[in-house]
mmCIF file of all heavy atoms in Angstrom:
data_model
loop_
_atom_site.group_PDB
_atom_site.id
_atom_site.type_symbol
_atom_site.label_atom_id
_atom_site.label_comp_id
_atom_site.label_asym_id
_atom_site.label_seq_id
_atom_site.Cartn_x
_atom_site.Cartn_y
_atom_site.Cartn_z
ATOM 1 N N VAL A 15 325.491 -51.067 -33.806
ATOM 2 C CA VAL A 15 324.117 -50.564 -33.897
ATOM 3 C C VAL A 15 323.110 -51.683 -34.155
ATOM 4 O O VAL A 15 321.911 -51.419 -34.261
ATOM 5 C CB VAL A 15 323.971 -49.468 -34.975
ATOM 6 C CG1 VAL A 15 324.983 -48.358 -34.758
ATOM 7 C CG2 VAL A 15 324.092 -50.030 -36.377
ATOM 8 N N TYR A 16 323.567 -52.915 -34.249
ATOM 9 C CA TYR A 16 322.689 -54.050 -34.492
ATOM 10 C C TYR A 16 322.505 -54.882 -33.235
ATOM 11 O O TYR A 16 323.483 -55.242 -32.573
ATOM 12 C CB TYR A 16 323.260 -54.958 -35.591
ATOM 13 C CG TYR A 16 323.106 -54.416 -36.986
ATOM 14 C CD1 TYR A 16 323.989 -53.472 -37.489
ATOM 15 C CD2 TYR A 16 322.070 -54.858 -37.806
ATOM 16 C CE1 TYR A 16 323.843 -52.969 -38.771
ATOM 17 C CE2 TYR A 16 321.922 -54.361 -39.088
ATOM 18 C CZ TYR A 16 322.807 -53.428 -39.571
ATOM 19 O OH TYR A 16 322.665 -52.935 -40.848
ATOM 20 N N ALA A 17 321.250 -55.171 -32.916
ATOM 21 C CA ALA A 17 320.989 -56.261 -31.992
ATOM 22 C C ALA A 17 321.330 -57.572 -32.696
ATOM 23 O O ALA A 17 321.284 -57.660 -33.928
ATOM 24 C CB ALA A 17 319.527 -56.266 -31.546
ATOM 25 N N MET A 18 321.680 -58.586 -31.939
ATOM 26 C CA MET A 18 322.117 -59.849 -32.518
ATOM 27 C C MET A 18 321.355 -61.009 -31.889
ATOM 28 O O MET A 18 320.891 -60.926 -30.745
ATOM 29 C CB MET A 18 323.612 -60.054 -32.291
ATOM 30 C CG MET A 18 324.500 -58.990 -32.909
ATOM 31 S SD MET A 18 324.522 -59.058 -34.731
ATOM 32 C CE MET A 18 325.310 -60.646 -35.007
ATOM 33 N N GLY A 19 321.257 -62.090 -32.639
ATOM 34 C CA GLY A 19 320.561 -63.257 -32.128
ATOM 35 C C GLY A 19 321.144 -64.552 -32.646
ATOM 36 O O GLY A 19 321.857 -64.586 -33.651
ATOM 37 N N TRP A 20 320.846 -65.625 -31.928
ATOM 38 C CA TRP A 20 321.157 -66.984 -32.341
ATOM 39 C C TRP A 20 319.859 -67.764 -32.525
ATOM 40 O O TRP A 20 318.946 -67.681 -31.688
ATOM 41 C CB TRP A 20 322.009 -67.707 -31.296
ATOM 42 C CG TRP A 20 323.426 -67.236 -31.195
ATOM 43 C CD1 TRP A 20 323.939 -66.351 -30.305
ATOM 44 C CD2 TRP A 20 324.518 -67.663 -32.021
ATOM 45 N NE1 TRP A 20 325.286 -66.191 -30.516
ATOM 46 C CE2 TRP A 20 325.664 -66.980 -31.557
ATOM 47 C CE3 TRP A 20 324.638 -68.544 -33.096
ATOM 48 C CZ2 TRP A 20 326.923 -67.161 -32.146
ATOM 49 C CZ3 TRP A 20 325.883 -68.720 -33.684
ATOM 50 C CH2 TRP A 20 327.003 -68.034 -33.208
ATOM 51 N N PHE A 21 319.795 -68.521 -33.606
ATOM 52 C CA PHE A 21 318.692 -69.421 -33.887
ATOM 53 C C PHE A 21 319.265 -70.787 -34.243
ATOM 54 O O PHE A 21 320.446 -70.906 -34.577
ATOM 55 C CB PHE A 21 317.838 -68.900 -35.048
ATOM 56 C CG PHE A 21 317.093 -67.636 -34.740
ATOM 57 C CD1 PHE A 21 317.734 -66.405 -34.752
ATOM 58 C CD2 PHE A 21 315.743 -67.675 -34.435
ATOM 59 C CE1 PHE A 21 317.053 -65.236 -34.467
ATOM 60 C CE2 PHE A 21 315.043 -66.511 -34.151
ATOM 61 C CZ PHE A 21 315.698 -65.299 -34.166
ATOM 62 N N ARG A 22 318.422 -71.802 -34.187
ATOM 63 C CA ARG A 22 318.871 -73.129 -34.586
ATOM 64 C C ARG A 22 317.752 -73.859 -35.313
ATOM 65 O O ARG A 22 316.574 -73.548 -35.144
ATOM 66 C CB ARG A 22 319.341 -73.945 -33.382
ATOM 67 C CG ARG A 22 318.230 -74.361 -32.419
ATOM 68 C CD ARG A 22 318.811 -75.039 -31.190
ATOM 69 N NE ARG A 22 317.780 -75.583 -30.322
ATOM 70 C CZ ARG A 22 318.011 -76.119 -29.137
ATOM 71 N NH1 ARG A 22 319.254 -76.193 -28.660
ATOM 72 N NH2 ARG A 22 316.998 -76.589 -28.416
ATOM 73 N N GLN A 23 318.148 -74.836 -36.125
ATOM 74 C CA GLN A 23 317.180 -75.626 -36.859
ATOM 75 C C GLN A 23 317.670 -77.065 -36.953
ATOM 76 O O GLN A 23 318.758 -77.325 -37.467
ATOM 77 C CB GLN A 23 316.942 -75.060 -38.257
ATOM 78 C CG GLN A 23 315.792 -75.724 -38.989
ATOM 79 C CD GLN A 23 315.344 -74.924 -40.193
ATOM 80 O OE1 GLN A 23 316.103 -74.140 -40.753
ATOM 81 N NE2 GLN A 23 314.088 -75.113 -40.586
ATOM 82 N N ALA A 24 316.868 -77.971 -36.446
ATOM 83 C CA ALA A 24 317.145 -79.395 -36.531
ATOM 84 C C ALA A 24 316.402 -79.986 -37.718
ATOM 85 O O ALA A 24 315.388 -79.432 -38.164
ATOM 86 C CB ALA A 24 316.718 -80.091 -35.237
ATOM 87 N N PRO A 25 316.874 -81.119 -38.255
ATOM 88 C CA PRO A 25 316.188 -81.733 -39.397
ATOM 89 C C PRO A 25 314.716 -82.000 -39.112
ATOM 90 O O PRO A 25 314.362 -82.560 -38.073
ATOM 91 C CB PRO A 25 316.952 -83.040 -39.592
ATOM 92 C CG PRO A 25 318.314 -82.758 -39.056
ATOM 93 C CD PRO A 25 318.083 -81.852 -37.876
ATOM 94 N N GLY A 26 313.856 -81.573 -40.035
ATOM 95 C CA GLY A 26 312.428 -81.792 -39.897
ATOM 96 C C GLY A 26 311.714 -80.870 -38.938
ATOM 97 O O GLY A 26 310.514 -81.046 -38.708
ATOM 98 N N LYS A 27 312.406 -79.901 -38.383
ATOM 99 C CA LYS A 27 311.805 -78.988 -37.420
ATOM 100 C C LYS A 27 311.869 -77.548 -37.906
ATOM 101 O O LYS A 27 312.657 -77.203 -38.787
ATOM 102 C CB LYS A 27 312.508 -79.102 -36.068
ATOM 103 C CG LYS A 27 312.321 -80.439 -35.369
ATOM 104 C CD LYS A 27 312.916 -80.401 -33.975
ATOM 105 C CE LYS A 27 312.670 -81.696 -33.241
ATOM 106 N NZ LYS A 27 313.240 -81.660 -31.868
ATOM 107 N N GLU A 28 311.019 -76.716 -37.306
ATOM 108 C CA GLU A 28 311.027 -75.295 -37.602
ATOM 109 C C GLU A 28 312.249 -74.624 -36.973
ATOM 110 O O GLU A 28 312.808 -75.112 -35.990
ATOM 111 C CB GLU A 28 309.754 -74.640 -37.075
ATOM 112 C CG GLU A 28 308.467 -75.130 -37.724
ATOM 113 C CD GLU A 28 308.355 -74.672 -39.153
ATOM 114 O OE1 GLU A 28 308.666 -73.488 -39.422
ATOM 115 O OE2 GLU A 28 307.967 -75.479 -40.006
ATOM 116 N N ARG A 29 312.636 -73.503 -37.558
ATOM 117 C CA ARG A 29 313.705 -72.717 -36.964
ATOM 118 C C ARG A 29 313.283 -72.236 -35.582
ATOM 119 O O ARG A 29 312.156 -71.773 -35.384
ATOM 120 C CB ARG A 29 314.058 -71.533 -37.860
ATOM 121 C CG ARG A 29 315.230 -70.706 -37.357
ATOM 122 C CD ARG A 29 315.648 -69.667 -38.380
ATOM 123 N NE ARG A 29 316.181 -70.289 -39.587
ATOM 124 C CZ ARG A 29 316.607 -69.619 -40.649
ATOM 125 N NH1 ARG A 29 316.568 -68.285 -40.652
ATOM 126 N NH2 ARG A 29 317.071 -70.271 -41.699
ATOM 127 N N GLU A 30 314.179 -72.319 -34.637
ATOM 128 C CA GLU A 30 313.880 -72.071 -33.236
ATOM 129 C C GLU A 30 314.758 -70.955 -32.687
ATOM 130 O O GLU A 30 315.975 -70.943 -32.906
ATOM 131 C CB GLU A 30 314.103 -73.358 -32.430
ATOM 132 C CG GLU A 30 313.881 -73.238 -30.938
ATOM 133 C CD GLU A 30 314.240 -74.511 -30.201
ATOM 134 O OE1 GLU A 30 315.012 -75.329 -30.751
ATOM 135 O OE2 GLU A 30 313.740 -74.701 -29.078
ATOM 136 N N PHE A 31 314.151 -70.058 -31.950
ATOM 137 C CA PHE A 31 314.898 -69.007 -31.274
ATOM 138 C C PHE A 31 315.730 -69.597 -30.149
ATOM 139 O O PHE A 31 315.257 -70.441 -29.385
ATOM 140 C CB PHE A 31 313.936 -67.962 -30.713
ATOM 141 C CG PHE A 31 314.582 -66.960 -29.803
ATOM 142 C CD1 PHE A 31 315.412 -65.972 -30.307
ATOM 143 C CD2 PHE A 31 314.350 -66.997 -28.438
ATOM 144 C CE1 PHE A 31 316.009 -65.044 -29.473
ATOM 145 C CE2 PHE A 31 314.937 -66.075 -27.593
ATOM 146 C CZ PHE A 31 315.772 -65.096 -28.118
ATOM 147 N N VAL A 32 316.973 -69.126 -30.033
ATOM 148 C CA VAL A 32 317.873 -69.575 -28.978
ATOM 149 C C VAL A 32 318.140 -68.455 -27.976
ATOM 150 O O VAL A 32 317.880 -68.602 -26.778
ATOM 151 C CB VAL A 32 319.204 -70.083 -29.557
ATOM 152 C CG1 VAL A 32 320.177 -70.438 -28.432
ATOM 153 C CG2 VAL A 32 318.968 -71.287 -30.459
ATOM 154 N N ALA A 33 318.666 -67.335 -28.446
ATOM 155 C CA ALA A 33 319.041 -66.236 -27.566
ATOM 156 C C ALA A 33 319.210 -64.971 -28.377
ATOM 157 O O ALA A 33 319.442 -65.020 -29.587
ATOM 158 C CB ALA A 33 320.342 -66.559 -26.813
ATOM 159 N N ALA A 34 319.112 -63.825 -27.720
ATOM 160 C CA ALA A 34 319.328 -62.540 -28.369
ATOM 161 C C ALA A 34 319.985 -61.585 -27.396
ATOM 162 O O ALA A 34 319.883 -61.746 -26.174
ATOM 163 C CB ALA A 34 318.013 -61.959 -28.883
ATOM 164 N N ILE A 35 320.645 -60.564 -27.948
ATOM 165 C CA ILE A 35 321.367 -59.593 -27.142
ATOM 166 C C ILE A 35 321.202 -58.213 -27.759
ATOM 167 O O ILE A 35 321.214 -58.050 -28.981
ATOM 168 C CB ILE A 35 322.849 -60.004 -27.015
ATOM 169 C CG1 ILE A 35 323.592 -59.111 -26.020
ATOM 170 C CG2 ILE A 35 323.542 -60.013 -28.377
ATOM 171 C CD1 ILE A 35 324.952 -59.681 -25.612
ATOM 172 N N SER A 36 321.046 -57.209 -26.905
ATOM 173 C CA SER A 36 320.845 -55.848 -27.361
ATOM 174 C C SER A 36 322.129 -55.258 -27.926
ATOM 175 O O SER A 36 323.212 -55.835 -27.819
ATOM 176 C CB SER A 36 320.330 -54.979 -26.211
ATOM 177 O OG SER A 36 321.275 -54.934 -25.150
ATOM 178 N N ARG A 37 322.004 -54.073 -28.528
ATOM 179 C CA ARG A 37 323.135 -53.438 -29.199
ATOM 180 C C ARG A 37 324.364 -53.290 -28.314
ATOM 181 O O ARG A 37 325.486 -53.592 -28.734
ATOM 182 C CB ARG A 37 322.718 -52.064 -29.728
ATOM 183 C CG ARG A 37 321.720 -52.099 -30.854
ATOM 184 C CD ARG A 37 321.284 -50.692 -31.217
ATOM 185 N NE ARG A 37 320.404 -50.672 -32.380
ATOM 186 C CZ ARG A 37 319.859 -49.586 -32.880
ATOM 187 N NH1 ARG A 37 320.087 -48.402 -32.315
ATOM 188 N NH2 ARG A 37 319.073 -49.662 -33.940
ATOM 189 N N GLY A 38 324.149 -52.806 -27.116
ATOM 190 C CA GLY A 38 325.256 -52.592 -26.200
ATOM 191 C C GLY A 38 325.595 -53.791 -25.341
ATOM 192 O O GLY A 38 326.568 -53.742 -24.579
ATOM 193 N N GLY A 39 324.800 -54.839 -25.429
ATOM 194 C CA GLY A 39 325.043 -56.034 -24.645
ATOM 195 C C GLY A 39 324.434 -56.017 -23.258
ATOM 196 O O GLY A 39 324.620 -56.971 -22.499
ATOM 197 N N GLY A 40 323.686 -54.963 -22.928
ATOM 198 C CA GLY A 40 323.147 -54.832 -21.592
ATOM 199 C C GLY A 40 321.909 -55.658 -21.307
ATOM 200 O O GLY A 40 321.550 -55.844 -20.140
ATOM 201 N N ALA A 41 321.236 -56.130 -22.342
ATOM 202 C CA ALA A 41 320.031 -56.930 -22.181
ATOM 203 C C ALA A 41 320.166 -58.209 -22.979
ATOM 204 O O ALA A 41 320.553 -58.175 -24.151
ATOM 205 C CB ALA A 41 318.803 -56.149 -22.636
#
């Protein structure tokens, strides 16, 4: 029931969005 996402953060930088996926994986 949860959408999921990946984020990343490099030293000295803001957290950055990488990718996300819907609950069922269809989007």
Side-chain angles (χ1 to χ4, degrees):
V15 307
Y16 284 81
M18 299 291 295
W20 288 97
F21 293 78
R22 69 186 186 186
Q23 189 165 24
K27 294 187 177 181
E28 296 290 317
R29 184 172 294 179
E30 178 185 21
F31 170 73
V32 175
I35 188 166
S36 61
R37 292 175 175 178

